[in-house]
Amino acid sequence: MPDTHEDDIALRVRAIESLLIEKGLVQPAALAAIVETYETKIGPHNGAQVVARAWTDPAFKARLLSDATAAIAEMGFSGVQGEDMVVVENTPAVHNMVVCTLCSCYPWPTLGLPPNWYKSAPYRARAVIDPRGVLNEFGVDLPPDKEVRVWDSNAELRYLVLPERPPGTEGMDAAALAALVTRDAMIGTGTVAAGQGAAQ
Amino acid sequence: MNGVHDLGGMHGMGPINPEPQEPMFHEAWERTVFGLFMTTFAGGHFNVDEFRHAIERMDPAHYLQSPYYAHWLHAMESLLVERSALTRQEIDGRMAQLAEAA
Amino acid sequence: MPALPVEQVDGLIATGASARMPDTVPPRFRPGDRVTVRNINPLSHTRLPRYARGKAGTVEADRGVFCFNDTNAHGLGHKPQHVYGVRFAARDLWGEQAAVRDALYLDLFEDYLEPHGG
């Protein structure tokens, strides 16, 4: 097997799937339910609700920064690849950015499954050694006196960035604010602007 | 293991190129691999550390050139065979059957 | 091995499987401690990236006790131990090319660390 050509992959996957089902090791309904959950229910719109609430509810924000797992669970988001969460806050002085250099660790309950670039060699290689260059590639240009903190999620903690609330959003409620929050802003490769949106 | 997976700080990997409006899965087989991983993992066939290490044991050139879910397929298949849930002969035989039927 | 039944899917996804373990081992380090990352090069699985080996940092947080990935990957048990959030100055990792204020954070198992200068 090891060096499977891509042409053979689809066939190989069908073969393994059919064998596992035949042997009673995989229930097709369970497989379908799992995929459906990640395709329809879990995604960055969850994280965006967490961020918007933190922007509008100071007591929630305090809980989020001191015990992120519990605070996020209050909003109904928990479980696989979000069992032990840490939220890091962007401020005028600090910008946070998350990577997993060793594999693809990512907070599934709040952001869904990671995009390809997050799991790929270029981002994992450069995020730690050249975070400002990476941010430039994402269109984020930080002043030199702002501190960049890179979080390499190498163990079992999973990280979510709490972006800065953009100016010009003072009158907006949590639902309107959530619509502004992008996935990349919660990874730290983006920021939130008043006119932008939205986490899919 | 000082493998190619330990990418932090390496040069020459190219631009990041985020894909706009990226689908969750690019091919139908990726969706199946994700579901099979979750069900066999939950079934207790391997733990997450064994799974990650099985990815690290991939041929390094193949690791860098293959799509992400091919890593998962490699690790899941390696572990299921090593733990005798499947055999290479069964997989090869079923692939031949499916190819003939197509 | 039994197959995962569809009835258990929602519960599995919502609960997951934390690697956190009962806090029964005392911590060797405390926030504020200076630590040096051990220079280890195991052929086996490790969650210690090469770029941090031999480098000095500061413990910022005790994350609690977790199952040790390095042993659990090889059927060698959970070896529960504290994991620490450790801050490294970017220049201590990458030299003068890094911005002077920037920093990198890793979560490091106690087995990866020794007291700085110790």
Side-chain angles (χ1 to χ4, degrees):
Chain A
M1 181 261 336
D3 285 317
T4 312
H5 294 289
E6 260 191 77
D7 299 346
D8 297 335
I9 286 188
L11 192 62
R12 179 171 295 279
V13 172
R14 280 175 56 211
I16 292 172
E17 179 187 24
S18 68
L19 287 165
L20 290 172
I21 291 169
E22 247 171 55
K23 287 167 180 265
L25 298 175
V26 166
Q27 202 184 92
L31 191 155
I34 287 169
V35 172
E36 197 205 331
T37 299
Y38 283 94
E39 283 192 319
T40 62
K41 295 186 186 143
I42 300 179
H45 53 276
N46 293 356
Q49 291 178 53
V50 173
V51 168
R53 179 151 175 216
W55 284 345
T56 52
D57 179 346
F60 177 76
K61 179 178 160 183
R63 294 198 296 282
L64 186 66
L65 295 175
S66 64
D67 184 350
T69 313
I72 291 168
E74 282 177 40
M75 302 198 63
F77 312 130
S78 65
V80 175
Q81 290 300 308
E83 293 94 341
D84 294 281
M85 290 291 300
V86 177
V87 170
V88 289
E89 182 187 14
N90 284 353
T91 68
V94 174
H95 181 88
N96 295 283
M97 179 174 141
V98 180
V99 63
C100 173
T101 62
L102 296 174
C103 52
S104 53
C105 297
Y106 191 75
W108 292 6
T110 41
L111 294 187
L113 302 180
N116 254 344
W117 61 261
Y118 181 89
K119 305 177 284 195
S120 299
Y123 181 72
R124 288 163 51 194
R126 279 172 55 211
V128 287
I129 192 172
D130 182 23
R132 288 171 187 268
V134 168
L135 287 167
N136 272 326
E137 210 168 306
F138 280 88
V140 178
D141 195 16
L142 299 178
D145 61 343
K146 192 162 196 165
E147 176 185 331
V148 176
R149 294 181 181 171
V150 178
W151 300 82
D152 187 352
S153 33
N154 66 307
E156 298 308 328
L157 289 304
R158 297 290 169 268
Y159 289 87
L160 184 77
V161 174
L162 175 57
E164 285 184 86
R165 180 171 174 169
T169 58
E170 290 73 15
M172 294 171 73
D173 65 12
L177 288 166
L180 301 177
V181 180
T182 62
R183 176 195 68 202
D184 289 3
M186 295 180 280
I187 300 172
T189 54
T191 55
V192 182
Q196 121 196 27
Q200 306 98 333
Chain B
M1 174 180 174
N2 293 347
V4 72
H5 69 282
D6 186 358
L7 281 159
M10 288 186 75
H11 290 142
M13 294 293 169
I16 294 164
N17 287 337
E19 182 184 335
Q21 307 300 316
E22 181 178 337
M24 185 162 293
F25 301 105
H26 290 73
E27 306 282 347
W29 66 264
E30 296 187 346
R31 180 185 284 110
T32 308
V33 167
F34 176 74
L36 288 175
F37 161 76
M38 292 286 280
T39 46
T40 52
F41 175 74
H45 293 272
F46 44 82
N47 68 42
V48 71
D49 302 307
E50 293 163 336
F51 183 74
R52 289 185 187 132
H53 190 54
I55 292 176
E56 294 164 7
R57 290 188 275 136
M58 286 177 74
D59 171 79
H62 183 51
Y63 179 96
L64 288 174
Q65 288 171 344
S66 51
Y68 176 75
Y69 283 106
H71 300 182
W72 282 33
L73 172 63
H74 175 99
M76 181 174 66
E77 180 176 347
S78 301
L79 290 164
L80 290 171
V81 169
E82 285 165 17
R83 277 111 208 254
S84 307
L86 296 175
T87 67
R88 293 257 170 260
Q89 292 74 10
E90 285 174 326
I91 297 167
D92 291 346
R94 182 59 52 91
M95 283 178 73
Q97 266 177 22
L98 290 170
E100 212 163 288
Chain C
M1 303 254 185
L4 172 73
V6 66
E7 300 78 29
Q8 288 178 20
V9 164
D10 287 349
L12 164 83
I13 290 173
T15 307
S18 175
R20 197 178 281 282
M21 301 198 70
D23 196 348
T24 52
V25 285
R28 185 178 178 199
F29 302 106
R30 297 187 186 286
D33 286 355
R34 288 286 287 169
V35 289
T36 302
V37 181
R38 294 177 60 211
N39 181 14
I40 56 168
N41 289 273
L43 282 165
S44 49
H45 182 63
T46 184
R47 297 299 289 179
L48 174 57
R50 261 176 292 181
Y51 70 81
R53 296 176 194 169
K55 308 292 185 179
T58 304
V59 172
E60 290 235 331
D62 183 343
R63 302 286 188 207
V65 174
F66 285 83
C67 171
F68 190 32
N69 308 87
D70 299 30
T71 47
N72 198 44
H74 299 281
L76 298 172
H78 294 151
K79 206 178 180 193
Q81 56 190 281
H82 284 259
V83 171
Y84 303 93
V86 179
R87 174 189 169 101
F88 298 87
R91 286 202 165 175
D92 286 346
L93 297 175
W94 312 112
E96 296 299 304
Q97 73 179 69
V100 65
R101 287 171 194 272
D102 291 357
L104 184 130
Y105 290 75
L106 281 162
D107 289 312
L108 297 174
F109 283 92
E110 195 163 281
D111 271 15
Y112 300 154
L113 300 173
E114 47 200 30
H116 184 58

